[in-house]
Structures are given as structure tokens and as C-alpha cells.
Amino acid sequence: MSNREVVVLSVGGVRFVTRASTLQQFPESRLARMLNDDDREFKLVNGEFFVDRDGTLFSYIMDFLRTLWVSLPTDFSDYQRLKREAEFYGLYPLADLLSQEHLLKPRLEILEVRFSLQEMQAFFRIFGSCSTTVETLAEQITVFTGQQSGQNWNSPFPSQKPLVPVPLERPSHHDMVFQCGTEYSAGDQFVARYVSIKPDNRKLINGTNVLGLLLDTLLKDGFRLISTRTVSSEEKVGCYSFERMKRPAGLTVTANQTPGSSGAAQAKRSQVQKGK
């Protein structure tokens, strides 16, 4: 049997087709020994291995064997049951990782947008519980400045001179500050600030328009608006609160781990963020 390239398993009535080499990723596991007829728990019936276990949970076992990657759905909750299945099949690295649910469970991510209108300017401050999300959003937002005379400040572009991009203020890794609109500079000169938010290519100077584009960008990125409130009625500061379930980075393991070895010690967090 060990020389068969394709193996068919029926687990709790659910049929799986895979390569023998996939089942042999962990040589000490029961699935690897099954191919050599070394385990009576697996019955060969009409060319298919039958095992009386949970077929739905076995799909996650197969995904792990094929990728050496542990990444579960955001609504997954059967960590203990899947851990028992991993132990049954002798996949101790997977069982070790599943015993640390905090590494695999999705986390609630909070983001807050504060917006203030003052005369001809609009001020924005964005706070986020995840610094990576704030950093990514900061890379999408660009502020451009330019000067023009007061006689034509309401024109689509501030002057014939090219607009100059300026960096956002970053008080910390978890927030950013920027503004748009116009203000007096000297004499009859105005400083105009435009905001662009990728992938939209427009340069917007009106604060209400920038706010609408920003909120739309967050909604498209998987955030859900949970509340709006006025922080300061005198200063006209509005606050928009968002949340989303953020999938954790997947965990990978090496295929040469032995029974009893610590999956946490040999597992490493992938650098690829999934998940939204």
C-alpha cells in the first residue's frame, strides 16, 4: 500500500482523495502508518480506507497536511474537538498549536475616525487598535499642498505650480492626523490642502467629501460602522467608530516534528496577513 500514489479515505461517510505523500508528511502519525497496514483502526473496504471519525473536522486535518499551515475560519469554535482529532491521528504538532487558541482565534479590531470642521478647514484623526492596519491606511492617504492667490482660491486646483505631497502626522503607531481645506498664508495668499485616498485618484479639498471617501474605503475594507457620536458640540467634533473581525496570521510548522515535541517551540508565525 505504501507505493500507491493516490489514496481514498472515507471519514465518517465523507470521502477524501489525496496523495500518499501528503499522508506521510509526519511519518510517526497514524495516517502514515495506515499506508503500511500498521493500524487496525483504519479498515480497507473496496479500495478505500474507512475510519469512524468526524469527517467535517478531518477536512481541516487534510488542509494542514497539504499546506503545513493552520488557518481556521473566523467563525470556527471547535478547537478542543479538533485537538482531539489531531491527537487521534498522531499529529502532535497540530494538537500543540490547537491547545493555544489565542494564537488562532480571530480578534476584534477597533478603529475610530474623528472629524472636525473649522471655517474653511477640516481636521481628521484616526485611531486604530491594530498598528498594521493604521500603517496600511496611512500608505493609502496622501496630502498635497499648494499656494494660490485669494482671487481664485475656489478653482479646481490651487495654482499652476505642481502640488507637493506632505507626510501625515503620526503621533504614535496607532494613530494619524491630517487636514484639508484652505487657510491664509500671507497677504492675499492661501495654502490649499488636498487629500487623496487610494485607489481613488481624486484630490479632494472639501472636508465632507474626504470624510465620505474615507468612510467608504473603510467599509470596503471589511469594517462595520457601529456608532456615531458628537465628542464636542462646540468644536463640532464628530466620532465614527468601526469594528471588524481580524483573522490572525496563519501558523506554519515543520514536517519533521516528533510526537511530544512542542508545536509552539517549532511553529513560527507567518509574515503574510490574511483576513479580512
Side-chain angles (χ1 to χ4, degrees), residues 10-13 41-43 50-55 85 88-89:
S10 177
V11 183
E41 187 71 34
F42 300 88
K43 306 294 184 181
F50 174 79
V51 58
D52 191 16
R53 303 293 294 192
D54 190 306
E85 293 301 295
F88 170 81
Y89 293 109

Side-chain angles (χ1 to χ4, degrees), residues 12-13 20 28-29 49 55 59 70 75 82 89 107 112 120 126 139-140 162 184 189 214 231:
E28 300 299 323
S29 71
F49 286 100
S59 65
V70 184
D75 59 350
L82 183 56
Y89 293 109
R107 299 177 181 179
E112 183 178 277
M120 299 166 63
I126 301 174
E139 293 175 356
Q140 292 178 256
Y184 279 109
Q189 294 295 307
L214 175 59
V231 178

Side-chain angles (χ1 to χ4, degrees), residues 21-140:
S21 58
T22 300
L23 300 176
Q24 294 168 332
Q25 287 277 22
F26 296 85
E28 300 299 323
S29 71
R30 297 182 72 175
L31 290 169
R33 298 200 307 269
M34 171 193 74
L35 298 179
N36 295 317
D37 298 323
D38 288 343
D39 197 316
R40 295 182 180 180
E41 187 71 34
F42 300 88
K43 306 294 184 181
L44 188 60
V45 180
N46 297 326
E48 299 183 7
F49 286 100
F50 174 79
V51 58
D52 191 16
R53 303 293 294 192
D54 190 306
T56 300
L57 292 178
F58 190 73
S59 65
Y60 300 114
I61 299 285
M62 285 303 308
D63 184 60
F64 169 71
L65 289 173
R66 286 167 174 151
T67 64
L68 299 183
W69 175 281
V70 184
S71 181
L72 300 170
T74 55
D75 59 350
F76 186 82
S77 59
D78 289 336
Y79 291 90
Q80 292 304 311
R81 289 183 60 210
L82 183 56
K83 179 175 179 289
R84 287 200 304 269
E85 293 301 295
E87 291 172 341
F88 170 81
Y89 293 109
L91 295 170
Y92 299 102
L94 176 58
D96 287 345
L97 290 179
L98 290 169
S99 66
Q100 303 177 76
E101 296 181 23
H102 65 282
L103 295 177
L104 298 167
K105 282 185 174 179
R107 299 177 181 179
L108 183 63
E109 182 179 355
I110 303 297
L111 191 139
E112 183 178 277
V113 176
R114 293 196 176 191
F115 171 68
S116 173
L117 276 175
Q118 298 178 18
E119 297 182 351
M120 299 166 63
Q121 298 183 80
F123 299 84
F124 295 83
R125 185 158 195 169
I126 301 174
F127 303 84
S129 60
C130 177
S131 61
T132 302
T133 296
V134 175
E135 183 67 33
T136 300
L137 188 58
E139 293 175 356
Q140 292 178 256

Side-chain angles (χ1 to χ4, degrees), residues 226-246:
I226 56 175
S227 70
T228 60
R229 68 183 190 277
T230 301
V231 178
S232 172
S233 57
E234 294 181 358
E235 297 180 0
K236 298 181 181 180
V237 179
C239 180
Y240 300 80
S241 298
F242 293 82
E243 70 175 17
R244 72 175 176 185
M245 294 303 293
K246 184 177 179 64

Side-chain angles (χ1 to χ4, degrees), residues 114-183:
R114 293 196 176 191
F115 171 68
S116 173
L117 276 175
Q118 298 178 18
E119 297 182 351
M120 299 166 63
Q121 298 183 80
F123 299 84
F124 295 83
R125 185 158 195 169
I126 301 174
F127 303 84
S129 60
C130 177
S131 61
T132 302
T133 296
V134 175
E135 183 67 33
T136 300
L137 188 58
E139 293 175 356
Q140 292 178 256
I141 299 174
T142 305
V143 177
F144 298 89
T145 65
Q147 284 192 340
Q148 66 180 89
S149 66
Q151 296 178 349
N152 64 342
W153 68 271
N154 199 33
S155 61
F157 291 95
S159 67
Q160 294 180 352
K161 297 180 180 180
L163 295 174
V164 179
V166 296
L168 305 180
E169 294 183 45
R170 297 295 307 277
S172 75
H173 293 296
H174 289 271
D175 61 341
M176 73 179 80
V177 178
F178 62 93
Q179 67 187 87
C180 65
T182 59
E183 63 177 335

